Short mmCIF file of all heavy atoms in Angstrom, two decimals:
data_model
loop_
_atom_site.label_atom_id
_atom_site.label_comp_id
_atom_site.label_asym_id
_atom_site.label_seq_id
_atom_site.Cartn_x
_atom_site.Cartn_y
_atom_site.Cartn_z
N ALA A 45 5.64 -25.22 -8.37
CA ALA A 45 6.70 -25.65 -9.28
C ALA A 45 8.05 -25.02 -8.92
O ALA A 45 9.03 -25.23 -9.65
CB ALA A 45 6.32 -25.29 -10.71
N GLY A 46 8.11 -24.25 -7.84
CA GLY A 46 9.35 -23.63 -7.44
C GLY A 46 9.66 -22.32 -8.15
O GLY A 46 10.75 -21.77 -8.01
N ARG A 47 8.69 -21.83 -8.90
CA ARG A 47 8.88 -20.53 -9.56
C ARG A 47 8.62 -19.42 -8.54
O ARG A 47 7.90 -19.61 -7.58
CB ARG A 47 7.93 -20.39 -10.75
CG ARG A 47 8.16 -21.44 -11.83
CD ARG A 47 7.15 -21.35 -12.93
NE ARG A 47 5.80 -21.54 -12.38
CZ ARG A 47 4.68 -21.42 -13.08
NH1 ARG A 47 4.73 -21.09 -14.36
NH2 ARG A 47 3.51 -21.63 -12.50
N VAL A 48 9.23 -18.28 -8.78
CA VAL A 48 9.10 -17.14 -7.86
C VAL A 48 8.17 -16.10 -8.49
O VAL A 48 8.16 -15.91 -9.70
CB VAL A 48 10.50 -16.55 -7.53
CG1 VAL A 48 11.16 -15.93 -8.75
CG2 VAL A 48 10.42 -15.54 -6.42
N LEU A 49 7.39 -15.46 -7.63
CA LEU A 49 6.50 -14.40 -8.10
C LEU A 49 7.33 -13.15 -8.38
O LEU A 49 7.98 -12.61 -7.49
CB LEU A 49 5.42 -14.08 -7.07
CG LEU A 49 4.42 -13.01 -7.52
CD1 LEU A 49 3.51 -13.56 -8.61
CD2 LEU A 49 3.61 -12.51 -6.35
N LEU A 50 7.30 -12.72 -9.61
CA LEU A 50 7.98 -11.50 -10.04
C LEU A 50 6.89 -10.50 -10.39
O LEU A 50 5.86 -10.87 -10.97
CB LEU A 50 8.84 -11.80 -11.27
CG LEU A 50 9.60 -10.63 -11.88
CD1 LEU A 50 10.72 -10.17 -10.94
CD2 LEU A 50 10.17 -11.02 -13.24
N TYR A 51 7.11 -9.26 -10.01
CA TYR A 51 6.13 -8.24 -10.38
C TYR A 51 6.84 -6.97 -10.81
O TYR A 51 8.02 -6.77 -10.53
CB TYR A 51 5.14 -7.97 -9.24
CG TYR A 51 5.72 -7.25 -8.05
CD1 TYR A 51 5.59 -5.87 -7.92
CD2 TYR A 51 6.38 -7.94 -7.04
CE1 TYR A 51 6.12 -5.21 -6.83
CE2 TYR A 51 6.90 -7.28 -5.94
CZ TYR A 51 6.77 -5.91 -5.85
OH TYR A 51 7.29 -5.24 -4.77
N ARG A 52 6.10 -6.14 -11.53
CA ARG A 52 6.62 -4.83 -11.94
C ARG A 52 5.85 -3.77 -11.20
O ARG A 52 4.62 -3.75 -11.20
CB ARG A 52 6.52 -4.62 -13.44
CG ARG A 52 7.23 -3.33 -13.90
CD ARG A 52 7.38 -3.25 -15.43
NE ARG A 52 6.16 -3.52 -16.15
CZ ARG A 52 5.19 -2.62 -16.37
NH1 ARG A 52 5.29 -1.40 -15.90
NH2 ARG A 52 4.12 -2.97 -17.05
N ARG A 53 6.58 -2.88 -10.55
CA ARG A 53 5.98 -1.78 -9.82
C ARG A 53 5.36 -0.79 -10.82
O ARG A 53 5.80 -0.70 -11.96
CB ARG A 53 7.05 -1.08 -8.97
CG ARG A 53 7.68 -2.03 -7.95
CD ARG A 53 8.92 -1.46 -7.32
NE ARG A 53 8.65 -0.25 -6.57
CZ ARG A 53 8.23 -0.23 -5.30
NH1 ARG A 53 8.06 -1.37 -4.65
NH2 ARG A 53 8.02 0.90 -4.69
N THR A 54 4.38 -0.05 -10.38
CA THR A 54 3.74 0.93 -11.25
C THR A 54 4.67 2.10 -11.54
O THR A 54 5.64 2.34 -10.81
CB THR A 54 2.44 1.46 -10.62
OG1 THR A 54 2.77 2.15 -9.41
CG2 THR A 54 1.44 0.34 -10.37
N ALA A 55 4.35 2.84 -12.58
CA ALA A 55 5.13 4.03 -12.93
C ALA A 55 5.00 5.11 -11.86
O ALA A 55 5.87 5.97 -11.73
CB ALA A 55 4.66 4.58 -14.28
N SER A 56 3.93 5.05 -11.06
CA SER A 56 3.72 6.07 -10.03
C SER A 56 4.29 5.67 -8.67
O SER A 56 4.15 6.43 -7.71
CB SER A 56 2.22 6.36 -9.89
OG SER A 56 1.54 5.18 -9.50
N ALA A 57 4.94 4.52 -8.58
CA ALA A 57 5.52 4.09 -7.31
C ALA A 57 6.52 5.15 -6.83
O ALA A 57 7.34 5.64 -7.63
CB ALA A 57 6.22 2.74 -7.46
N PRO A 58 6.47 5.51 -5.54
CA PRO A 58 7.37 6.56 -5.06
C PRO A 58 8.84 6.15 -5.02
O PRO A 58 9.72 7.00 -5.08
CB PRO A 58 6.85 6.86 -3.65
CG PRO A 58 6.09 5.64 -3.25
CD PRO A 58 5.56 5.04 -4.51
N VAL A 59 9.10 4.86 -4.94
CA VAL A 59 10.47 4.34 -4.94
C VAL A 59 10.56 3.25 -6.00
O VAL A 59 9.67 2.41 -6.10
CB VAL A 59 10.85 3.78 -3.54
CG1 VAL A 59 12.25 3.21 -3.55
CG2 VAL A 59 10.72 4.86 -2.48
N TYR A 60 11.60 3.27 -6.78
CA TYR A 60 11.82 2.28 -7.85
C TYR A 60 10.62 2.15 -8.79
O TYR A 60 10.14 1.04 -9.06
CB TYR A 60 12.19 0.92 -7.26
CG TYR A 60 13.47 0.91 -6.48
CD1 TYR A 60 13.46 0.65 -5.11
CD2 TYR A 60 14.70 1.16 -7.09
CE1 TYR A 60 14.64 0.64 -4.38
CE2 TYR A 60 15.88 1.15 -6.35
CZ TYR A 60 15.84 0.89 -5.00
OH TYR A 60 17.00 0.87 -4.29
N PRO A 61 10.12 3.25 -9.36
CA PRO A 61 9.01 3.13 -10.31
C PRO A 61 9.40 2.29 -11.52
O PRO A 61 10.55 2.33 -11.98
CB PRO A 61 8.72 4.58 -10.70
CG PRO A 61 9.99 5.32 -10.41
CD PRO A 61 10.62 4.61 -9.24
N ASP A 62 8.44 1.50 -12.01
CA ASP A 62 8.63 0.64 -13.19
C ASP A 62 9.73 -0.40 -13.04
O ASP A 62 10.19 -0.95 -14.02
CB ASP A 62 8.89 1.48 -14.46
CG ASP A 62 7.61 2.02 -15.05
OD1 ASP A 62 6.56 1.34 -14.96
OD2 ASP A 62 7.65 3.14 -15.61
N HIS A 63 10.17 -0.69 -11.83
CA HIS A 63 11.18 -1.72 -11.59
C HIS A 63 10.50 -3.07 -11.33
O HIS A 63 9.39 -3.11 -10.81
CB HIS A 63 12.02 -1.38 -10.36
CG HIS A 63 13.11 -0.39 -10.61
ND1 HIS A 63 12.89 0.86 -11.13
CD2 HIS A 63 14.45 -0.47 -10.38
CE1 HIS A 63 14.03 1.51 -11.21
NE2 HIS A 63 15.00 0.73 -10.77
N TYR A 64 11.21 -4.13 -11.65
CA TYR A 64 10.77 -5.47 -11.30
C TYR A 64 11.25 -5.79 -9.90
O TYR A 64 12.29 -5.30 -9.45
CB TYR A 64 11.33 -6.50 -12.29
CG TYR A 64 10.68 -6.41 -13.65
CD1 TYR A 64 11.24 -5.63 -14.65
CD2 TYR A 64 9.51 -7.10 -13.92
CE1 TYR A 64 10.65 -5.54 -15.90
CE2 TYR A 64 8.91 -7.02 -15.17
CZ TYR A 64 9.48 -6.24 -16.15
OH TYR A 64 8.89 -6.15 -17.38
N ASP A 65 10.50 -6.67 -9.22
CA ASP A 65 10.87 -7.05 -7.86
C ASP A 65 10.26 -8.40 -7.52
O ASP A 65 9.27 -8.82 -8.13
CB ASP A 65 10.39 -6.00 -6.86
CG ASP A 65 11.12 -6.03 -5.52
OD1 ASP A 65 12.01 -6.88 -5.32
OD2 ASP A 65 10.78 -5.19 -4.67
N VAL A 66 10.84 -9.07 -6.52
CA VAL A 66 10.28 -10.30 -5.98
C VAL A 66 9.85 -10.12 -4.53
O VAL A 66 9.24 -11.01 -3.94
CB VAL A 66 11.27 -11.49 -6.07
CG1 VAL A 66 11.64 -11.79 -7.51
CG2 VAL A 66 12.50 -11.25 -5.22
N LEU A 67 10.20 -8.98 -3.94
CA LEU A 67 9.86 -8.71 -2.55
C LEU A 67 8.52 -7.98 -2.47
O LEU A 67 8.43 -6.82 -2.87
CB LEU A 67 10.96 -7.87 -1.88
CG LEU A 67 12.32 -8.54 -1.75
CD1 LEU A 67 13.35 -7.55 -1.23
CD2 LEU A 67 12.23 -9.76 -0.84
N VAL A 68 7.53 -8.65 -1.96
CA VAL A 68 6.20 -8.06 -1.77
C VAL A 68 6.16 -7.57 -0.33
O VAL A 68 6.25 -8.37 0.60
CB VAL A 68 5.09 -9.10 -2.00
CG1 VAL A 68 3.73 -8.48 -1.74
CG2 VAL A 68 5.19 -9.68 -3.40
N GLY A 69 6.07 -6.27 -0.13
CA GLY A 69 6.08 -5.80 1.24
C GLY A 69 6.06 -4.31 1.37
O GLY A 69 5.80 -3.59 0.41
N GLY A 70 6.37 -3.87 2.58
CA GLY A 70 6.38 -2.45 2.87
C GLY A 70 6.75 -2.18 4.30
O GLY A 70 7.25 -3.06 5.02
N ALA A 71 6.48 -0.97 4.74
CA ALA A 71 6.85 -0.53 6.07
C ALA A 71 6.07 -1.26 7.16
O ALA A 71 4.89 -1.56 6.99
CB ALA A 71 6.62 0.97 6.21
N VAL A 72 6.76 -1.53 8.25
CA VAL A 72 6.13 -2.10 9.44
C VAL A 72 5.51 -0.93 10.20
O VAL A 72 6.20 0.06 10.49
CB VAL A 72 7.16 -2.84 10.32
CG1 VAL A 72 6.53 -3.37 11.59
CG2 VAL A 72 7.83 -3.97 9.52
N ARG A 73 4.25 -1.01 10.51
CA ARG A 73 3.56 0.07 11.21
C ARG A 73 3.87 0.05 12.70
O ARG A 73 4.34 -0.95 13.24
CB ARG A 73 2.05 -0.07 10.99
CG ARG A 73 1.66 0.19 9.55
CD ARG A 73 0.18 0.08 9.37
NE ARG A 73 -0.16 0.33 7.97
CZ ARG A 73 -1.30 -0.04 7.41
NH1 ARG A 73 -2.22 -0.67 8.14
NH2 ARG A 73 -1.54 0.21 6.15
N ALA A 74 3.58 1.16 13.35
CA ALA A 74 3.82 1.30 14.80
C ALA A 74 3.12 0.18 15.55
O ALA A 74 1.93 -0.09 15.32
CB ALA A 74 3.34 2.66 15.29
#
Side-chain angles (χ1 to χ4, degrees):
R47 298 175 301 175
V48 66
L49 182 71
L50 179 70
Y51 71 96
R52 188 168 49 82
R53 300 168 63 85
T54 63
S56 61
V59 179
Y60 298 115
D62 279 327
H63 279 57
Y64 289 93
D65 200 0
V66 299
L67 295 173
V68 178
V72 177
R73 293 181 180 161

